[in-house]
Amino acid sequence: MANAINPTLKLTVELSLVKTILNESLSDPLVAGDTIEYEVVVTNSGNVDIDNVAIDDPGPEFNGNVANNGPMVFSTADSTALNPTDTATFTGTYTLDATDVANFYTAASPTDAISNVADATGDAPSGTTLVTNTDSTATGVAP
């Protein structure tokens, strides 16, 4: 009788995300109180369940200077326990303050002087490492 082969499935723990700007209410010229609304769609791109998925976002940078009102807070109506291929959509709004506006206007190219990067986090099964992919967006106003 032949020996049975027991294949071992490699556990892949991975979240991917896509970050977009849903709406920007930017005055021209910018003023404190202007807002940028972001959407982050997180997908469990691995082959194991991931719980407590959340967004880690320090807030936008203005000409390379970290947001004065960060970190950003994101919310979702979706489940944050993702099975493989499941997605959750998060939204968050950033409100500019006077320091952000001043930093923005030191940029050589104000059309893309606001950038923002986010990561996704979550709890992986015991003994596995969670891998996240970063995504970013950029915006600004015409000089």
Side-chain angles (χ1 to χ4, degrees), residues 23 36-37 121 128:
N23 186 26
I36 305 170
E37 183 181 14
T121 62
T128 55

Side-chain angles (χ1 to χ4, degrees), residues 4-141:
I5 297 175
N6 293 322
T8 302
L9 176 65
K10 180 181 177 189
L11 298 180
T12 304
V13 184
E14 184 175 53
L15 293 172
S16 58
L17 63 98
V18 175
K19 183 171 190 175
T20 57
I21 296 173
L22 276 182
N23 186 26
E24 54 186 48
S25 298
L26 300 177
S27 305
D28 189 7
L30 290 181
V31 296
D34 285 354
T35 60
I36 305 170
E37 183 181 14
Y38 295 97
E39 176 182 78
V40 180
V41 178
V42 179
T43 302
N44 180 347
S45 48
N47 62 6
V48 297
D49 297 346
I50 301 175
D51 295 324
N52 302 314
V53 173
I55 304 302
D56 180 20
D57 184 335
E61 290 186 357
F62 299 86
N63 193 32
N65 295 291
V66 178
N68 210 39
N69 289 330
M72 289 191 59
V73 176
F74 283 83
S75 61
T76 184
D78 297 332
S79 172
T80 59
L82 300 181
N83 297 321
T85 73
D86 284 354
T87 63
T89 301
F90 296 81
T91 57
T93 301
Y94 184 82
T95 303
L96 283 69
D97 70 7
T99 301
D100 297 329
V101 173
N103 287 334
F104 172 82
Y105 280 111
T106 64
S109 175
T111 56
D112 60 0
I114 304 172
S115 62
N116 189 256
V117 176
D119 290 307
T121 62
D123 296 334
S126 178
T128 55
T129 302
L130 176 62
V131 176
T132 63
N133 296 313
T134 301
D135 197 17
S136 64
T137 61
T139 190
V141 296

